[in-house]
Amino acid sequence: AQKVTQAQTEISVVEKEDVTLDCVYETRDTTYYLFWYKQPPSGELVFLIRRNSFDEQNEISGRYSWNFQKSTSSFNFTITASQVVDSAVYFCALSEAGAGGTSYGKLTFGQGTILTVHP
Amino acid sequence: EAGVAQSPRYKIIEKRQSVAFWCNPISGHATLYWYQQILGQGPKLLIQFQNNGVVDDSQLPKDRFSAERLKGVDSTLKIQPAKLEDSAVYLCASSFGQGGYGYTFGSGTRLTVV
């Protein structure tokens, strides 16, 4: 069975600090997809990134970057120069793929990390 | 492009009452999902539809929860009778096919059972 673990329940930083959110996953599939979502206080889930298991290239998008290491089953998320607007709950999620590499679509979420950025 | 629409936004009911939630996915999205998010936890899949057929309902408490997807578009999720532990946010999502592309969540319905 697939499992996602976000060991950090809460993180508190001061604005402009860099912060890394850890995500470790378990799956028996060789083809799978990893996601990060942001959930601000308003409650909606905002998509941040989708990465398939064959693409281990790190990705940077503005102040956000992701480090995917298949050898350690980790998909960590770093926010550089954090801002107050980054305060939210962040979820890592996993979706296993069936034959042909097409994801079944069911997302297994971690427990989430509450990030608070203080001015 | 319009997002995933859900209603109502909030609902308060007494235990043993029934309640229904509605979801309208993004136009053209064949796959629709209902998730339950209990406070302090990540969302958990309740049921997944592909068009109007059920793909996965293994975690749906079928003795009290039911869901349908009319004509492969809108969907309703019903709870009857509600229990205190059903208090949660119910999130609807949709995507292209089963590939997870364009996976988009609605704003959710916050249910409080008293």
Side-chain angles (χ1 to χ4, degrees), chain B:
Chain B
E1 171 182 79
V4 175
Q6 288 189 248
S7 67
R9 191 77 174 89
Y10 304 93
K11 190 75 177 178
I12 301 174
I13 62 172
E14 294 183 351
K15 59 183 179 184
R16 291 187 288 274
Q17 284 188 325
S18 62
V19 64
F21 312 127
W22 174 82
C23 173
N24 183 255
I26 290 176
S27 178
H29 280 195
T31 310
L32 184 147
Y33 317 80
W34 282 102
Y35 285 83
Q36 179 193 57
Q37 185 177 17
I38 293 172
L39 186 65
Q41 299 182 17
K44 180 186 77 173
L45 181 73
L46 291 176
I47 189 166
Q48 176 182 345
F49 292 95
Q50 177 72 13
N51 295 310
N52 58 356
V54 175
V55 173
D56 183 349
D57 64 356
S58 57
Q59 298 192 88
L60 186 74
K62 298 179 186 66
D63 58 333
R64 297 184 300 104
F65 285 65
S66 64
E68 61 179 3
R69 189 176 184 194
L70 306 172
K71 299 178 182 178
V73 182
D74 291 8
S75 177
T76 55
L77 176 69
K78 297 180 182 177
I79 308 175
Q80 182 180 8
K83 292 185 175 181
L84 296 177
E85 58 261 37
D86 298 331
S87 294
V89 175
Y90 291 85
L91 293 160
C92 180
S94 67
S95 70
F96 299 142
Q98 291 194 76
Y101 290 97
Y103 215 118
T104 305
F105 284 86
S107 298
T109 295
R110 183 177 298 276
L111 173 68
T112 302
V113 182
V114 298

Side-chain angles (χ1 to χ4, degrees), chain A residues 20-34:
Chain A
T20 296
L21 282 61
D22 297 333
C23 173
V24 174
Y25 60 91
E26 295 176 28
T27 177
R28 281 179 279 191
D29 276 14
T30 56
T31 302
Y32 49 89
Y33 297 84
L34 294 164

Side-chain angles (χ1 to χ4, degrees), chain A residues 10-21 79 81-84 86-87 114-119:
Chain A
E10 290 192 56
I11 299 177
S12 182
V13 299
V14 177
E15 211 169 17
K16 297 183 184 175
E17 281 187 37
D18 297 347
V19 57
T20 296
L21 282 61
I79 302 174
S82 60
Q83 300 176 1
V84 172
D86 296 327
S87 297
I114 302 171
L115 174 65
T116 304
V117 181
H118 299 280

